[in-house]
Structure formats: C-alpha cells, structure tokens
C-alpha cells in the first residue's frame, strides 16, 4: 500500500503534508471543524467556503439517536452531514470521560463507523485525566491499547483509516511508550488524546511535554492529530512540534458564550467597541450590531471559524518560508503561560533540531527566548569542530585595520558568540539581531567564547568587546585571553 501521508515541506519539527483518505487528499496542517449532527451552527455544506477540507463528527451521537442512526446507515455519514470531502468520526470516548459510562462497546462502535462510511475512524480509547497518577494512567493506557489493537484487527480490509489515540496522562514516559507501541503497529493517524483539560487550564508547559513525548515514541513519518485543539493561539506551537491535524468545536462553543476569537486571544463581544478583523462578518457588522443580532451565535461562530483558518494559513506559510519558530515566539506573548510553554519547548531544542532544516530564511532574534532556539544550540555544539591554532582575533562588528595579521578572525555576535567571518552570510549566523544584546544572548555568546578558548588551549586569543557590555563573564574571558580591549560601538 502506498503511504497515506507524504511530507512536502519542513520547518522546526513541523511540516506540510498530504494525507490521502478515501474521499480525497487533504493538505496538512489543517483544522477539522467539529460538526454536531444535531445542531449545525454553520451547515457542513458551507464548510469548504471557510477553507475546511475535512470535517470531524461524533459517531456515538449519531449511533444513539435512532433517526440519525438509520439515515447514516442508509445514506452514509457524508450525505447525513451534506459534505462530500473526507469525514473523521470520533467514538464516544469524550462522552465516556465526561459521563463515566456509555451504551456502546469498542467492537460495536468500530462496526458502526464502517457501516456509515467514515474516512477515519476512532476506537473507544480512555481519555486519561491529567489528575491520574502514574499507576492509574498506566492501567488506563493498557486498556486503551488493548482496544486499539482489537480495532486494528476488526479494521483489516475495511478501507477505513484507523486512528490510534496516544494516551498516558501527563506522564511523559507513558506517552512515549504508547507512541512507540502504537507507532509500530501500523495505524493510519495518531491523535494525541486527553489534552483538552490541559489547554482549558492554560497548562501549556505540560501540553508541550505531552506532545513531545508522544512524538518521540512515534515514527516521524506518521500524521499526528492534536485532539480537541481548536483555539488558533496554540496552532503555531503545536504545528512547530509536529502536529498535523487539529479539530475545532471551539469556534461554535466560544460563540455560544459570546466569545470572539483572535489568534492573539479571546474577547467577550460585549467588551468590544471595534472588531479587529476584516472577515466577511466583521466587514459587514459592528460589535454592537453582532451583540444585538438574533443571529449573534452564528455570526460569532462564522467569525471564529474565519480567524481559525486564517491562523492555520499563516502557520503553513511560515513553514514554507522557514520562519515558523518566529511565529511561535510571537504567539507565546499572548499569555504568560504560553511563554512557559515556549520555555518548556526550548528545553526540547535538541529533539527539534533533529528535524529542523539546516538552512532556511534569516533567523530573527525576537527576545531572550530566541537564545535557546535549536539553531543557537546547534552552533554551540559545532564549536567543538572548530580547531584553531596560532593567533585568534575575536571581535564584534566592524573589521580592524590589522586583521590580516591574525591567523584566524572570528566575528562575535550574540547569541551565537564567535564564528569564522567566512560564515557570516550563512544560516543561522546571518541572523538579524538587536544592536544592543540582551543579557540572555550575551551570556550564551560569552559562554561559547569561553568554551572555544578552553577547547583550543594552544591558540593565542585576542578578545575585543563593546565598552557598553556589562557582564561578569567579560572579566573572566579577558583573564583567559592573551590580549583584550574594549571599543566604542
Ligand atoms: N476528544 C478530545 N480528546 C479526546 C480523546 O482523548 N479521545 C477521543 N476519542 N476523543 C477526544
Ligand atoms: Zn471577523
């Protein structure tokens, strides 16, 4: 069988891919709007106008309601919804996690998803609560994986793609183990499950660990879905960590609560005097007009869906341009807990680095967090390959008149530190950085300088620095160097 997922572009650990389903190919990353088969806030048949190429609905809601069940079996889920593109169906696990019990078992719901012609089916996994301790999470994971393996057997020769939710609660070892076990069994799509409670309570640092650990266990070539991630503010980060599919019930749920989404946070519509968006809804209404309209919920849902797809397009363009991480850093400013998420993400820089193309568009330094980007780390470890003998000049900025007298000339640029001038036009050393370095980037640059000097004890170093730099490591480096002096910028 040919691969159902083909990766065409990469940036950070993110990618643009093509997912082949029985109802056509979808480009990822993308968002699957959640359709409630009972009440369609926005009709499924209009979803393509927003940019949706694949939808997700809940097979258990259909199964439970006799008239929906009969129509779905007779006409198929696509006709039931009025959508001729791919449809993924969830299993009722979410109801299971909310109500504790449901009236269907794993084999039955898999059989039902076959019967209604779903493109991507989901077995009855257990969404383990973040509150579960390691023992409970491991027990629930064992049950989940048993059901997934049962579903894999039942799904043989069906033509339906099968998703294997990766569970394990907030325990990275369990998430990674689940990824490894399921990843080698040959499912078609891997949703990372039970992250909604983390997102609802702004636990982004743990969300990052959960994504990275699941991804570490899974093969890098498989499509990954972040279950229940519908707020555009998380798309850049999740995509940069290698999530390919997202689903949004949020566009409709937020609308019901009068909430107006933007990629940079959420407003209550009654607090908006202006509408910071130019979608068809916002171009033809005022905030007060939406607030007092009998169609308020639908208008908000439409706007929310426009901004959701708009952010996803921005993420995709950033992947193609090779500047997704800059977008991640910008979005991390939305909420202090997102910044915690970014700080946690850079602790996984060695893992991200592994996927990140070594050459892409210019690196923009956007603040102290940029110091810990994978590219900066990579330069730090490349210093070990730089063998220096004779005299070495390390200087910031402008050329010195007598430079040719030195055997080696290194440019000093925070956050990288020293690098051979011949490399100054190459990525990432051609980075755009502030004229005045912040403390974090200067620290890293000076630590790299120290490291380089220690790695080359035979070489004779001359170190030039800016008078305005105030940093305790400067004294230390001056003592290690044979010559040192400061210059005005
Ligand atoms: N929807 C949101 N989270 C989950 C999950 O963990 N499993 C399933 N099946 N559906 C979900
Ligand atoms: Zn709008």
């Amino acid at each position: 069988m040919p691969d159902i997922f083909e990766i065409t572009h990469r940036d950070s650990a993110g990618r643009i891919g093509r997912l082949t389903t029985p109802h056509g190919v979808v480009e990822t990353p993308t968002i699957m709007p959640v359709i409630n088969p009972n009440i369609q806030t926005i009709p499924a048949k209009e979803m393509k106008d927003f940019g949706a190429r694949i939808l997700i609905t809940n097979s258990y809601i259909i199964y439970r309601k006799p008239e929906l069940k009969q129509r779905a079996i007779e006409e198929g889920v696509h006709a039931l919804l009025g959508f001729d593109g791919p449809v993924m169906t969830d299993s009722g696990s979410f109801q299971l996690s909310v109500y504790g019990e449901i009236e269907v078992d794993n084999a039955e719901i898999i059989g039902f998803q076959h019967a209604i012609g779903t493109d991507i089916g989901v077995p009855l996994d257990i969404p383990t609560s973040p509150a579960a301790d390691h023992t409970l999470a491991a027990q629930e994971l064992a049950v989940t994986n048993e059901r997934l393996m049962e579903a894999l057997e039942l799904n043989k020769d069906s033509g339906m793609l099968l998703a294997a939710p990766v569970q394990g609660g907030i325990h990275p070892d369990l998430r990674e183990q689940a990824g490894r076990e399921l990843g080698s069994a040959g499912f078609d799509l891997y949703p990372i499950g039970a992250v909604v409670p983390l997102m609802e309570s702004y636990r982004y640092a743990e969300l990052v660990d959960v994504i990275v650990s699941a991804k570490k266990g899974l093969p890098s070539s498989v499509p990954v879905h972040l279950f229940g991630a519908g707020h555009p503010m998380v798309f850049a980060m999740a995509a940069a960590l290698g999530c390919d599919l997202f689903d949004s019930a949020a566009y409709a749920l937020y609308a019901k609560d009068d909430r107006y989404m933007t990629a940079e946070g959420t407003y209550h519509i009654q607090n908006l005097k202006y509408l910071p968006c130019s979608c068809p809804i916002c171009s033809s209404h005022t905030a007060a007009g939406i607030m007092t309209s009998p169609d308020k919920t639908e208008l908000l849902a439409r706007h929310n869906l426009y901004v959701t797809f708009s952010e996803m397009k921005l993420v995709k363009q950033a992947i193609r341009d090779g500047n997704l991480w800059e977008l991640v850093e910008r979005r991390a400013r939305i909420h202090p807990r997102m910044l915690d998420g970014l700080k946690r993400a850079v602790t996984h820089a060695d893992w991200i680095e592994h996927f990140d193309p070594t050459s892409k568009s210019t690196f923009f330094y956007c603040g102290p967090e940029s110091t810990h980007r994978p590219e900066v780390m990579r330069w730090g470890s490349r210093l070990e390959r730089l063998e220096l003998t004779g005299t070495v000049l390390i200087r910031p900025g402008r050329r010195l008149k007598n430079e040719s007298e030195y055997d080696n000339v290194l440019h000093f640029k925070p956050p990288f530190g020293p690098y051979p001038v011949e490399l100054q036009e190459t990525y990432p050393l051609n980075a755009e950085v502030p004229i005045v370095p912040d403390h974090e980037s200067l620290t890293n640059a000076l630590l790299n300088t120290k490291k380089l000097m220690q790695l080359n004890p035979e070489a004779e170093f001359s170190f030039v620095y800016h008078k305005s730099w105030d940093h305790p490591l400067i004294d230390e480096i001056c003592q290690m160097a044979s010559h040192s002096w400061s210059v005005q910028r």
Side-chain angles (χ1 to χ4, degrees):
M1 207 179 68
D3 272 345
I4 61 150
F5 189 57
E6 182 202 348
I7 293 170
T8 59
H9 299 80
R10 295 179 177 277
D11 188 22
S12 298
R15 55 272 186 101
I16 291 180
R18 288 163 58 80
L19 177 69
T20 303
T21 77
H23 279 78
V25 176
V26 281
E27 192 178 74
T28 63
T30 197
I31 176 102
M32 303 182 280
V34 175
I35 305 292
N36 179 337
N38 287 311
I39 358 141
Q40 297 193 12
T41 315
I42 301 171
K45 63 176 183 328
E46 288 183 36
M47 282 295 173
K48 283 191 185 163
D49 302 341
F50 290 86
R53 293 294 174 266
I54 172 168
L55 304 182
I56 182 166
T57 189
N58 189 308
S59 64
Y60 180 61
I61 293 177
I62 301 172
Y63 178 89
R64 198 172 53 176
K65 197 159 177 178
E67 62 269 31
L68 289 176
K69 182 177 186 177
Q70 194 186 346
R71 273 190 58 205
I73 291 173
E74 284 168 9
E75 302 168 22
V77 68
H78 299 81
L80 179 78
L81 299 181
F83 184 77
D84 62 7
V87 174
M88 177 170 176
T89 49
D90 200 355
S91 57
S93 294
F94 184 69
Q95 282 74 10
L96 181 72
S97 70
V98 176
Y99 307 111
E101 218 175 318
I102 54 168
E103 294 156 14
V104 70
D105 71 15
N106 186 42
E108 220 170 328
I109 202 69
I110 288 292
F112 183 63
Q113 293 177 77
H114 287 155
I116 66 177
T118 298
D119 290 271
I120 308 174
V122 181
L124 202 61
D125 57 312
I126 303 177
T128 294
S129 157
D133 64 14
H134 195 276
T135 310
L136 178 60
Q139 278 167 5
E140 292 187 351
L141 180 60
V143 177
T144 289
N145 289 359
E146 206 173 292
R147 292 188 193 161
L148 299 183
M149 297 311 289
E150 178 192 34
L152 192 62
E153 190 62 30
L154 293 168
N155 195 52
K156 266 194 202 151
D157 317 314
S158 81
M160 180 177 89
L161 303 180
L162 190 63
V166 177
Q167 299 289 350
I170 55 164
H171 307 285
D173 62 319
L174 296 178
R175 291 278 184 175
E176 186 169 344
Q177 176 200 322
R180 195 168 307 111
E181 265 179 52
L182 301 168
S184 62
F187 292 86
D188 301 299
L189 170 67
Y190 295 87
I192 298 175
V195 292
V196 172
L198 295 178
M199 293 186 286
E200 282 176 349
S201 50
Y202 290 80
R203 292 164 69 175
Y204 296 117
E206 286 159 286
L207 176 68
V208 164
D209 283 343
V210 162
I211 296 172
V212 172
S213 49
K215 288 278 304 183
K216 278 182 178 168
L218 290 167
S220 62
S221 56
V222 298
V224 171
H225 167 197
L226 192 62
F227 238 140
H231 199 296
M233 68 192 262
V234 304
F235 293 170
M237 171 68 83
L241 298 176
C243 296
D244 308 295
L245 285 160
F246 300 82
D247 63 279
S248 175
Y251 76 94
L253 295 175
Y254 276 57
K256 264 190 213 121
D257 280 347
D258 293 348
R259 287 190 287 172
Y260 178 100
M261 290 173 151
T262 78
E264 294 170 50
T266 307
Y267 297 90
H268 273 276
I269 185 70
Q270 65 267 29
N271 296 334
L272 279 179
K273 170 77 179 147
Y274 311 99
L275 297 176
C277 169
S278 301
C279 80
I281 303 303
C282 299
S283 306
S284 57
H285 292 78
T286 61
I290 292 179
M291 188 58 207
T292 53
S293 166
D295 302 322
K296 178 178 67 178
T297 304
E298 188 188 329
L299 291 171
L300 284 171
R302 285 176 183 273
H303 155 81
N304 287 346
L305 204 54
Y306 277 118
V307 297
T308 300
F309 277 99
S310 161
E311 178 71 0
M312 195 56 82
K313 283 182 264 189
L314 194 63
V315 165
K316 285 164 74 168
Q317 186 63 42
I319 295 175
R320 287 196 69 126
D321 289 346
N323 55 22
L324 180 58
W325 203 260
E326 276 86 356
L327 183 63
V328 172
E329 292 188 338
R330 259 163 36 221
R331 293 300 183 240
R333 263 83 195 162
I334 295 168
H335 191 281
R337 299 287 212 90
M338 287 277 290
L339 205 49
D340 288 335
L342 174 62
K343 287 186 175 147
R344 188 64 61 87
V346 297
T347 67
H348 300 292
D350 52 345
W351 175 77
I352 297 169
E353 209 244 275
H354 188 69
F355 301 102
D356 200 20
T358 48
S359 180
K360 48 190 198 180
S361 72
T362 314
F363 177 124
F364 274 36
Y365 189 89
C366 307
E369 288 77 23
S370 299
T371 291
H372 306 286
R373 278 177 58 157
E375 294 93 331
V376 183
M377 267 210 36
R378 189 187 292 149
W379 178 250
S381 43
R382 274 195 56 190
L383 284 178
E384 285 149 34
R385 290 195 246 148
L386 206 62
E387 277 176 35
L388 299 169
T389 50
T391 54
V392 183
L393 172 69
I394 300 178
R395 50 95 176 142
R398 255 175 283 127
R399 286 177 57 86
L400 303 189
K401 278 197 208 80
N402 63 341
E403 270 188 17
S404 56
E405 294 165 15
Y406 292 86
D407 299 317
N408 307 272
V409 179
L410 304 185
H411 190 188
F412 178 93
K413 177 153 131 183
F416 301 98
Y419 58 82
V421 281
E422 304 84 73
L423 295 181
Q424 66 188 352
E425 299 303 328
T426 64
Y427 187 87
L429 301 163
N430 60 346
E432 290 288 347
V433 303
I435 293 171
V436 183
D438 59 39
H439 190 79
E440 200 101 347
S441 74
L442 197 51
T443 302
N444 192 68
L446 292 169
L447 284 173
N448 278 350
T449 306
K450 231 178 105 174
K451 178 174 164 184
L452 188 70
M453 291 167 101
Q454 283 162 344
L455 285 167
N456 295 279
E458 305 298 319
E460 188 190 318
F461 286 92
S462 297
F463 179 63
V464 186
Y465 59 96
H466 279 306
K467 222 176 217 115
S468 61
W469 292 347
D470 179 18
H471 199 290
L473 281 172
I474 289 183
D475 271 351
E476 217 179 298
I477 291 169
C478 290
Q479 275 165 28
M480 289 167 72
S482 310
H483 311 276
S484 62
W485 63 98
S486 67
V487 292
Q488 298 279 10
R489 196 166 15 248

